[in-house]
Structure formats: C-alpha cells, structure tokens
Amino acid sequence: MKSKASSPAKVILFGEHFVVYGVKAILCAINKRITVTAETIKENKISIKSNIGNLELEPNKENLEIDSPLKPFYYLANKLIKNQNTGIRIKVESDIPLGVGLGSSSACCVAGAAAISRLFKKTSKEEILELAIEAEKTIFENTSGADCTVCTYGGIMEYDKKNGFNKIGSEPNFHLVIANSKIEHSTKLIVENVKQFKEKNEEKFSTLCDKESKLIEDILELLKNNNIVEIGQRINENQEYLETIGVSNEKLRMMIKIGQDKSFGAKITGAGGGGCIFALTNESNLEQTMNQFKNENYDCFSVKIDFKGLDTF
Ligand code: PMV
C-alpha cells in the first residue's frame, strides 16, 4: 500500500507577535509545497528519508528519546500503525526553505498525517488537522495550531486566540516576493524578548495592540476589494510596529527598504530577528522587485496564494 499527500507553506501577512496577546492575525498559504509518500513494509520498523536527513527506528520508542526534526513523522507513524501489523517507509520531498518561518514543519505534519493515515482509512481534513497539530506539539508544544490550519485548508485565514480560525473568502491575485535573510532565528527567544519589551512598556504596547487590531479590521475590508495599494501601505505600517517592539535588525531593514522602494509594501513575516521578509507585488512591479533583490545578492523567490491547501493522491 502506498499513499501520497502534499501541503503548502505559509506566511503570516499581518499580526505576528501581537497575536500572542490576543490580537487577530492574518495568514495565507503559499504555493511552495512539501510532498510526503508513505508505504507499508513487511519489516517492523519506521523509516523516514528526507532532504534534511534520515531516521530509522523500531516502533514504540518514547518521543522523549528521539532527537530529530523528523520526530513528528515518527510520532504519526508510530500512532497510526498500532494494531496494523506493519512497518512503514516515509519519503519527504520539499521545496519549502527550512526554519525560516515559512511553516515547513507544519506543512510536514499536515502532509505526513494525511499520507500515513490514508494508508489505513479514508480520513477527513478535520481528522488530519487534529493529527497534524498533535504531531507538531512533539516539537513545538505551545503551537497555536494556526500554521497547521492554513496548511490544511489553504487560502487566507484570520486567527485569534479566543475565537480560533476563520477562512477569509477573498481570493486576491497578488504575488509575494519572499526574501530570506539567511539569519537563523529562534521564535521562542524572540517571543520572550517581546514579552520583556511589553513588561517594560505596558502602555506603549497596549497602544500598539490597538493600532494593530484597527489595521487588521481595515485589511479585512481592503481584501474584499483587492485594494493592493492601500494593503501595501498597511504592510509598511505593520512593519513600523514590529520595529518598535524590537524584532527587526539592520539586515532586515535593508531588505525591507528594497521591498518598500520597489513594491506596494514590505514587512517581516513571522518572528523576525532573521528569517524572511515579504514584499507585496502584482504583474506591474513583480519583476523589478525580484531584480532589485537579486542585484543586491539576496536570496528571493516569488509566490502566489495557494487556495488548494492539503492535496492527497
Ligand atoms: O516564526 P513563525 O513564522 O513560526 O511565527 C511566529 C509567530 C509569532 O507570532 C511570533 C509567535 C506565535 O506563536 O504566534
């Protein structure tokens, strides 16, 4: 038996960090994908092959014993082969850059949950999402589940801690240019630094949260009309808030300047401190934005919003 599934990467368009304190965030899936192939085998083992390394273990190991970024796959395989009298071979193929805030681990969990579970029964997207979030918790215990959700359903989504996720119906036709700072960052550490900023500047932080909430309400309207120029301006405003809370740095500011000069707007996506920025473009300025990043030797690529989400074969 063989089963295959693929899931998109994601970007946070608006609201990172403030979302931790209850403000709404807007995320979207992008058309970079990870594909997972799962196959039952006779040997009593779980074997995972990927472009970031391999892992081969017998079933029933404790999660704590495993120190590998491939742990979510092991968790899923181990859970789903219980009582099935089979081993499993998993192959992971990805065109998502790893560890730069584009949701590669969530996409792995979603595609992994789908490919492995569908070896044994037809599972719904809801069931797959539940499994994927469980698997992601083996590496990031406090995940909000937002990344796995957008990787499963695709499109654009609003999320807040109290009300959860809500898919946004708009299907805007813009291109995002994503540029990678190649600076590794720890989301956990940067979230901790923001907490300290908040504790020292309660009033300022609360004003920023209010401004971010208002900005996001505006975006929800602007998206309905595909008003790319104004959305771009709000992206730049959101970047100012991120600068204020201290998650930017010199390299990111240089990259954002290129984006803001050439496109409709540019900001950090995700935790900051490193990772990626994105610039909002359409056919009128996509090429010039890409060229400027390339001329200045930045690693960049363009993506569109993925409206498909999880795909199974
Ligand atoms: O670095 P990423 O893409 O995983 O984004 C982290 C988003 C934060 O708002 C900074 C943290 C969080 O848990 O929401």
Side-chain angles (χ1 to χ4, degrees), residues 63 71-80 82 105-106 108-110 112-113 117 126-149 152:
N63 268 312
K71 188 150 98 172
F73 291 108
Y74 181 85
Y75 170 84
L76 288 164
N78 193 42
K79 175 172 174 143
L80 295 164
K82 288 240 152 67
S105 65
S106 310
C108 278
C109 292
V110 171
S117 64
E126 289 72 21
E127 289 170 297
I128 290 165
L129 175 58
E130 204 173 304
L131 277 170
I133 294 175
E134 256 178 53
E136 192 170 43
K137 285 188 172 162
T138 66
I139 44 169
F140 185 31
E141 205 184 325
N142 293 326
T143 175
S144 63
D147 283 14
C148 282
T149 305
T152 303

Side-chain angles (χ1 to χ4, degrees), residues 10-12 15-21 25 27 99-103 105-106 136 140 142-147 159 161 185-188 190-191 194 242 247 269-272 275:
K10 71 96 198 12
V11 293
I12 301 179
E16 51 276 269
H17 288 293
F18 301 103
V19 69
V20 174
Y21 300 95
L27 297 87
V100 289
L102 298 181
S105 65
S106 310
E136 192 170 43
F140 185 31
N142 293 326
T143 175
S144 63
D147 283 14
Y159 168 79
K161 273 190 158 171
H185 64 169
S186 152
T187 297
K188 205 171 154 191
I190 297 163
V191 168
V194 172
L242 293 171
V247 300
T269 179

Side-chain angles (χ1 to χ4, degrees), residues 202-268:
E202 285 291 355
E203 225 179 280
K204 197 170 184 180
F205 196 83
S206 157
T207 308
L208 285 171
C209 284
D210 292 344
K211 284 185 173 175
E212 183 76 42
S213 292
K214 165 80 178 64
L215 184 147
I216 285 177
E217 288 314 313
D218 290 349
I219 291 296
L220 295 173
E221 280 308 306
L222 294 168
L223 277 171
K224 286 185 196 153
N225 311 319
N226 205 1
N227 191 337
I228 196 162
V229 175
E230 286 214 26
I231 294 174
Q233 285 162 2
R234 297 300 195 287
I235 288 174
N236 295 345
E237 276 170 43
N238 197 156
Q239 177 58 25
E240 284 173 28
Y241 307 159
L242 293 171
E243 292 285 348
T244 309
I245 61 171
V247 300
S248 192
N249 60 35
E250 212 39 54
K251 186 163 187 188
L252 292 172
R253 275 191 284 278
M254 283 188 322
M255 294 164 71
I256 285 159
K257 177 149 191 343
I258 296 173
Q260 293 185 344
D261 284 349
K262 294 289 169 192
S263 73
F264 296 108
K267 67 178 269 295
I268 288 169

